[in-house]
Amino acid sequence: MSKHNSNIALISDLKAIVGASYTITSAVKMEPYSKGFRFGSGGALTVARPANLVEIWKVLKACEKAGVAIIMQAANTGLTGGSTPDGNDYDRPIVIVNTMRIDQIQLIDDAKQIIGLPGSTLFGLEETLKPYGREPHSVIGSSCIGASIVGGVCNNSGGALVRRGPAYTELSLFAQVDASGELSLVNNLGIDLGNTPEEILTNLQEQNYKQTDIQYPDKLASDNIYHERVREVDADTPARFNNDGRRLHESAGCAGKLAVFAVRVDTYPIEKQQVFYIGTNDDQVLETMRRNILTQFKTLPVSGEYLHRDCYAVSKKYGKDTFVVIDKLGSKFIPKLFGIKRTVDRIASNFVFLPNKLSEAIMQWVSYLLPNHLPKRMDEYHEQYQHHWILEMSGEGIAEARAYLSEFFKVHEGNHFECTQEEGEKAILHRFVAGGAIGRYKVLKGDAVGPMMTVDIALRRNEEKWFEELPKEIDDLIEAKFYYGHLFCHVMHQNYVLKKGVDAKALKQKILDSFDARGAEYPAEHNVGHEYAAKDVLKTFYRKLDPTNTFNPGIGKTSKLKGWK
């Protein structure tokens, strides 16, 4: 059979499995699936959107028979292009399997653990757990844009919450292709669900299992020692990063090299929290505080989010509409908003007289009509201080922080205030709309500036010079710099808008080389995607999981060819 006829036959098989309306072949309609949330895009033969776990299995079997490459995809909210094709230089057609129709969440042990099917989201989990007084691993950030539970585990995502670390589990249900090219289903979920793939998947989807079928093996459903690692402030290595072999296990960190049907993860009790807002003009003041709090406090912080003054300003101006939508309508509306924006941009692309990313221009214009959305005290600190730190405490840590801060600022430059509940919620939300705001800034600046470049860096735990000072020859090539991050674990997100005509690839390599010399690791939490090169630990892990390079070929700048040729 010719290659063309083989592709037609596969598409016909997929239509028979998931339905014609859920087998997308139009290039225009495939774009939301073949183009990354912020980075990367490429061609695909088709997008299949199965309705249940058995349909996923049948789609995988059809793809295996046809010899195509497979990209498993959930919400497609990754920031490094890791769940879409990258270019058109693959040696086989690509089928994207989007799992967002399968969003079931199952509770175990009075909601102390959950099972998330491949399309379930962090927001959906947060809503499911609220009546039980519990919350998921991540409660803001990726959850605001509809990120999936399975995607978080596959990418070792998260870590903003100081006590919990990156998303991790050793309990999952997945399919993989072995060295002989045979597809098999592996049930390491810790639940007796039957024997055949169809039986296992049907019983899980229909929750056809009893309490006695649930096992509690000696396997982790979260990173149980991260809270100890982050306290080790004199260690010469970062607290967390994607190339860390310590937390690569089957689905955890697999970056799509397996087809993951379900993950079983821990949940956490909801605690009363208090936010303290800190400002200073001396970055070493924050480093001193970081070390004191991590080594002296009995209670670890909930989080400690850093925001530079320039990032505060760009987030206020260009992130206002997203902030207001989440604040007034809830984060559940954000995926719908992104869908509307994609539709507007797709329609606008058919008219040469309309600007690129028309939706961004429209939303920005709307935001100018809205009143100031930030608390007065935060704006006053923006005028006074270069560095902003949002310290969130709970339990006994609230009194610890209150006493510590009142004494600390008697002898150190800077100040703090204790937020009201509204101020605290707005401070945290303002920090988490920063990434999208910087993207909007670049889009609206258009050809007046050069490309945008982002770096996701994990500094050593004993690094004292955490705030970047670039040499003049590099700084002169940059139009604007925006810094934010998770200061307790020294994970920084550094965004650069370059001057027009600057070679972004060459400049980024210079910056990364400087971090290599300092013992930093990258990426820290966004995974390698197609933006970063996977290091040897990660490449070895990928090849072990997927010896034929069937799933997500090319991830981490590895080979896109069958069999890793």
Side-chain angles (χ1 to χ4, degrees):
M1 185 183 294
S2 71
K3 184 176 180 180
H4 176 70
N5 289 338
S6 177
N7 291 346
I8 292 175
L10 175 58
I11 291 172
S12 177
D13 288 343
L14 296 180
K15 287 180 178 178
I17 295 168
V18 305
S21 60
Y22 293 106
T23 307
I24 306 168
T25 55
S26 161
V28 172
K29 291 182 179 179
M30 279 197 290
E31 188 171 294
Y33 309 94
S34 62
K35 187 173 184 179
F37 177 73
R38 187 177 73 183
F39 179 90
S41 64
L45 175 65
T46 186
V47 176
R49 300 188 62 218
N52 56 59
L53 299 179
V54 171
E55 284 188 7
I56 294 180
W57 176 253
K58 290 179 178 179
V59 166
L60 296 179
K61 293 290 286 184
C63 290
E64 174 202 22
K65 181 180 177 183
V68 300
I70 303 166
I71 294 179
M72 300 300 297
Q73 180 189 85
N76 190 20
T77 58
L79 299 180
T80 56
S83 55
T84 64
D86 179 52
N88 298 292
D89 55 341
Y90 296 85
D91 62 343
R92 299 149 286 169
I94 291 175
V95 172
I96 300 172
V97 183
N98 182 277
T99 62
M100 290 304 289
R101 296 175 67 199
I102 311 168
D103 60 356
Q104 189 182 50
I105 294 169
Q106 302 175 13
L107 305 180
I108 294 178
D109 192 16
D110 294 325
K112 291 183 178 67
Q113 289 186 333
I114 65 97
I115 295 173
L117 299 197
S120 58
T121 65
L122 288 168
F123 175 78
L125 180 54
E126 191 174 353
E127 292 296 294
T128 300
L129 291 175
K130 273 182 183 177
Y132 297 87
R134 301 187 72 82
E135 64 185 11
H137 168 270
S138 299
V139 294
I140 196 166
S142 296
S143 59
C144 288
I145 55 177
S148 70
I149 300 168
V150 167
V153 170
C154 291
N155 291 300
N156 290 138
S157 299
L161 299 182
V162 180
R163 306 172 196 170
R164 301 179 190 176
Y168 181 76
T169 187
E170 296 169 358
L171 300 165
S172 63
L173 173 65
F174 57 88
Q176 66 182 146
V177 175
D178 65 21
S180 65
E182 184 176 348
L183 182 75
S184 61
L185 187 71
V186 179
N187 180 13
N188 285 339
L189 203 56
I191 302 177
D192 185 0
L193 295 165
N195 299 307
T196 68
E198 289 81 3
E199 183 183 12
I200 291 169
L201 296 171
T202 299
N203 285 338
L204 177 61
Q205 182 110 34
E206 296 179 359
Q207 291 186 256
N208 186 25
Y209 55 87
K210 304 183 293 295
Q211 179 63 39
T212 53
D213 294 323
I214 302 174
Q215 302 143 12
Y216 294 88
D218 187 21
K219 292 185 177 182
L220 300 177
S222 60
D223 189 339
N224 66 331
I225 62 170
Y226 180 77
H227 63 282
E228 298 173 4
R229 285 177 62 84
V230 78
R231 283 191 184 269
E232 295 168 354
V233 297
D234 292 318
D236 201 34
T237 56
R240 58 186 176 95
F241 55 98
N242 286 125
N243 282 293
D244 185 2
R246 187 183 67 90
R247 285 296 178 250
L248 299 175
H249 182 87
E250 296 178 344
S251 63
C254 75
K257 300 303 287 182
L258 300 171
V260 181
F261 289 84
V263 293
R264 178 173 164 183
V265 295
D266 291 332
T267 68
Y268 304 85
I270 296 173
E271 298 179 285
K272 183 178 184 293
Q273 296 171 358
Q274 175 62 52
V275 173
F276 299 88
Y277 200 92
I278 298 162
T280 180
N281 288 306
D282 183 352
D283 57 276
Q284 287 305 296
V285 165
L286 296 189
E287 181 59 26
T288 299
M289 294 177 67
R290 168 188 172 268
R291 295 179 69 88
N292 288 348
I293 292 170
L294 289 177
T295 58
Q296 298 174 14
F297 276 32
K298 179 181 177 181
T299 304
L300 270 178
V302 175
S303 66
E305 293 301 297
Y306 170 76
L307 199 66
H308 183 264
R309 171 188 276 158
D310 294 342
C311 199
Y312 183 107
V314 78
S315 187
K316 179 177 180 178
K317 182 174 181 179
Y318 294 99
K320 183 194 289 187
D321 53 299
T322 305
F323 181 106
V324 171
V325 166
I326 297 173
D327 186 45
K328 301 300 181 185
L329 302 178
S331 57
K332 64 183 178 182
F333 188 76
I334 290 297
K336 296 178 184 177
L337 178 63
F338 285 142
I340 294 170
K341 289 172 64 177
R342 279 195 295 264
T343 300
V344 169
D345 291 336
R346 187 176 71 242
I347 295 171
S349 67
N350 296 318
F351 300 93
V352 295
F353 58 87
L354 290 176
N356 184 35
K357 296 282 187 180
L358 176 63
S359 66
E360 299 288 2
I362 293 173
M363 294 302 292
Q364 188 59 30
W365 181 82
V366 170
S367 74
Y368 291 143
L369 304 178
L370 302 173
N372 181 26
H373 57 296
L374 296 180
K376 181 181 178 182
R377 289 199 289 182
M378 282 174 57
D379 278 344
E380 289 173 347
Y381 267 45
H382 171 243
E383 295 299 322
Q384 295 177 58
Y385 300 115
Q386 181 181 5
H387 304 289
H388 298 234
W389 201 19
I390 305 162
L391 174 64
E392 190 174 9
M393 303 297 300
S394 67
E396 294 179 3
I398 297 173
E400 281 188 286
R402 187 176 289 138
Y404 171 81
L405 291 170
S406 63
E407 291 300 316
F408 183 86
F409 284 111
K410 288 180 181 178
V411 294
H412 291 86
E413 188 272 335
N415 208 343
H416 78 287
F417 64 85
E418 193 166 331
C419 294
T420 64
Q421 182 174 340
E422 180 182 8
E423 286 174 329
E425 290 172 355
K426 289 190 172 184
I428 293 169
L429 183 52
H430 183 58
R431 151 66 187 89
F432 279 100
V433 301
I438 295 166
R440 167 87 55 84
Y441 167 90
K442 169 60 181 77
V443 167
L444 298 186
K445 289 291 182 181
D447 294 336
V449 297
M452 186 171 87
M453 188 175 76
T454 63
V455 179
D456 173 28
I457 289 291
L459 300 171
R460 302 189 323 264
R461 281 169 282 175
N462 65 354
E463 178 67 74
E464 294 185 0
K465 299 291 184 181
W466 63 272
F467 186 69
E468 183 176 66
E469 294 182 7
L470 292 169
K472 187 177 187 301
E473 64 269 18
I474 290 180
D475 201 49
D476 287 346
L477 301 176
I478 299 173
E479 181 75 23
K481 303 187 294 287
F482 303 107
Y483 298 130
Y484 59 93
H486 318 296
L487 197 56
F488 280 117
C489 55
H490 267 179
V491 167
M492 300 300 297
H493 303 304
Q494 307 191 160
N495 303 262
Y496 315 89
V497 177
L498 309 184
K499 290 182 178 178
K500 198 169 183 178
V502 173
D503 184 338
K505 186 176 181 180
L507 182 60
K508 184 167 187 174
Q509 192 56 54
K510 285 184 180 180
I511 292 175
L512 292 179
D513 287 345
S514 73
F515 282 115
D516 287 336
R518 295 170 59 189
E521 291 280 354
Y522 51 85
E525 63 182 13
H526 293 160
N527 217 322
V528 288
H530 291 288
E531 190 173 6
Y532 296 91
K535 294 185 179 180
D536 288 344
V537 169
L538 210 49
K539 285 190 289 187
T540 300
F541 178 61
Y542 292 161
R543 293 188 69 143
K544 179 182 178 182
L545 294 180
D546 185 20
T548 63
N549 206 18
T550 295
F551 289 105
N552 213 1
I555 195 74
K557 299 188 183 296
T558 58
S559 172
K560 294 181 178 179
L561 306 181
K562 188 172 183 178
W564 299 92
K565 295 175 183 175

